[in-house]
């Protein structure tokens, strides 16, 4: 896949990313020329020590943080310089997020949890069929009417993946999606994300501390000193 394809129809492409924070009156440069490109259908695992900037990178790529320098092309649209309303619209249309904590509301049903983000949104809203289709694709369709509180940890994380899929995103950004699961459930979620990427042609970037879970990824990157480098094959 050419570099253009990554930032074009589906994937994401970042060039020369710089992101700094102030700490104790000094500049902490977390990203310092980071570059990456992920094509539709590709799964890229992201490793790096705690504090290396993985979550910071995901926030920028997903249009949650605009305090960066450099270029991010998301589905063909340049993020830098985009005003907030356009950035949110682009994010809502193209990006799905999965975090370590599922953030489901325990008293709502699984299906209600999936549609909740759209309850107060004007314009296009996914209907209940979008929720059932997403739950189907993560293998928990029978749990649609169950309250989130009654799901196991692994099922909740699958529901969180389904919630990220409801809008049919082109890019799925996952921040330690298996971090609160045991080994077996972690593997199931990792396999699920890989098969979703392949099946739906979604670009997937997964930040993780556990290389053993991501052997199915197409590539692995290491974030260190503010830059991304390829991790050796077999190391992921
Ligand atoms: N909003 C912020 N303000 C100030 N410093 C920040 C902010 N966000 C992140 N940082 C700092 O940037 C660095 C990178 O943080 P980040 O959360 O991206 O790391 P990480 O690689 O995701 O770590 P972990 O593996 O522990 O999740 C840390 O030193 C963090 O304290
Ligand atoms: Mg993090």
């Amino acid at each position: 896949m050419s570099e253009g394809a990554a930032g074009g129809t589906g994937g994401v492409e970042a060039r020369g990313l710089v992101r700094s924070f102030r700490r104790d009156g000094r500049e902490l440069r977390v990203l310092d020329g980071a570059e990456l490109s992920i094509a539709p259908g590709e799964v890229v695992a992201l490793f790096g020590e705690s504090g290396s900037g993985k979550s910071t990178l995901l926030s920028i790529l997903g249009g949650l943080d605009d305090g960066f320098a450099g270029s991010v092309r998301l589905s063909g649209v340049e993020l830098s310089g985009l005003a907030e309303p356009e950035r949110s619209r682009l994010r809502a249309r193209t990006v799905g997020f999965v975090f370590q904590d599922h953030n489901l509301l325990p008293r709502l049903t699984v299906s209600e949890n999936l549609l909740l983000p759209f309850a107060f949104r004007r314009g296009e809203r996914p209907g209940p069929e979008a929720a059932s289709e997403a739950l189907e694709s993560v293998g928990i369709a029978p749990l649609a009417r169950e309250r989130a509180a009654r799901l196991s940890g692994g099922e909740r994380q699958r529901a969180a993946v389904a919630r990220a899929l409801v809008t049919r995103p082109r890019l799925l950004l996952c921040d330690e999606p298996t971090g609160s699961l045991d080994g077996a459930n972690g593997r199931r979620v990792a396999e699920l994300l890989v098969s979703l990427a392949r099946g739906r042609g979604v670009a997937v970037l997964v930040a993780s501390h556990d290389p053993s879970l991501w052997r199915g990824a197409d590539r692995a990157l290491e974030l260190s000193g503010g830059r991304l480098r390829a991790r050796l094959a077999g190391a992921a």
Side-chain angles (χ1 to χ4, degrees):
M1 202 67 75
S2 75
E3 294 288 281
T9 49
V12 63
E13 186 172 348
R15 294 285 161 242
L17 286 188
V18 175
R19 178 62 164 117
S20 305
F21 298 109
R22 290 208 76 75
R23 172 159 308 157
D24 302 329
R26 307 229 317 249
E27 183 189 346
L28 175 69
R29 201 175 260 233
V30 175
L31 299 179
D32 191 11
E35 318 235 318
L36 72 82
S37 128
I38 310 176
E42 199 180 23
V43 182
V44 176
L46 173 64
F47 301 109
E49 282 179 11
S50 180
S52 60
K54 301 182 296 297
S55 298
T56 302
L57 176 66
L58 264 55
S59 296
I60 293 172
L61 297 179
L64 289 170
D65 174 7
D66 68 347
F68 66 93
S71 149
V72 175
R73 285 183 79 79
L74 191 56
S75 276
V77 182
E78 176 60 55
L79 272 182
S80 73
L82 214 60
E84 170 50 28
E86 283 77 41
R87 204 153 41 88
S88 316
R89 259 200 297 279
L90 180 65
R91 182 170 63 233
R93 259 202 340 263
T94 51
V95 188
F97 293 93
V98 180
F99 299 102
Q100 172 167 358
D101 296 311
H102 50 80
N103 295 323
L104 300 173
L105 293 180
R107 296 168 69 108
L108 296 186
T109 69
V110 173
S111 185
E112 286 164 351
N113 264 287
L114 263 58
L115 297 171
L116 186 67
F118 310 98
F120 306 104
R121 205 176 275 176
R122 278 178 296 153
E124 226 175 284
R125 282 187 209 176
E129 68 293 340
S132 7
E133 192 232 31
L135 289 170
E136 188 88 48
S137 66
V138 303
I140 56 167
L143 298 176
R145 289 190 188 79
E146 201 66 73
R147 288 191 197 285
R150 302 180 66 166
L151 269 53
S152 74
E155 288 165 347
R156 280 180 210 170
Q157 201 55 334
R158 288 175 163 259
V161 173
R163 183 183 49 196
L165 291 174
V166 163
T167 54
R168 300 184 152 273
R170 310 306 306 147
L171 172 67
L172 206 51
L173 296 169
C174 311
D175 203 347
E176 313 213 18
T178 59
S180 53
L181 300 177
D182 64 28
N185 277 302
R187 266 190 300 283
R188 288 188 71 190
V189 167
E191 284 162 13
L192 169 67
L193 288 168
V194 171
S195 76
L196 286 170
R198 306 262 153 80
R200 294 178 166 231
V202 183
V204 177
L205 180 63
V206 192
S208 172
H209 281 287
D210 187 350
S212 72
L213 288 176
W214 300 101
R215 296 210 171 91
D218 296 294
R219 283 185 289 133
L221 299 173
E222 177 90 24
L223 182 53
S224 162
R227 286 172 179 251
L228 288 161
R229 4 187 122 64
R231 228 174 115 114
L232 291 179

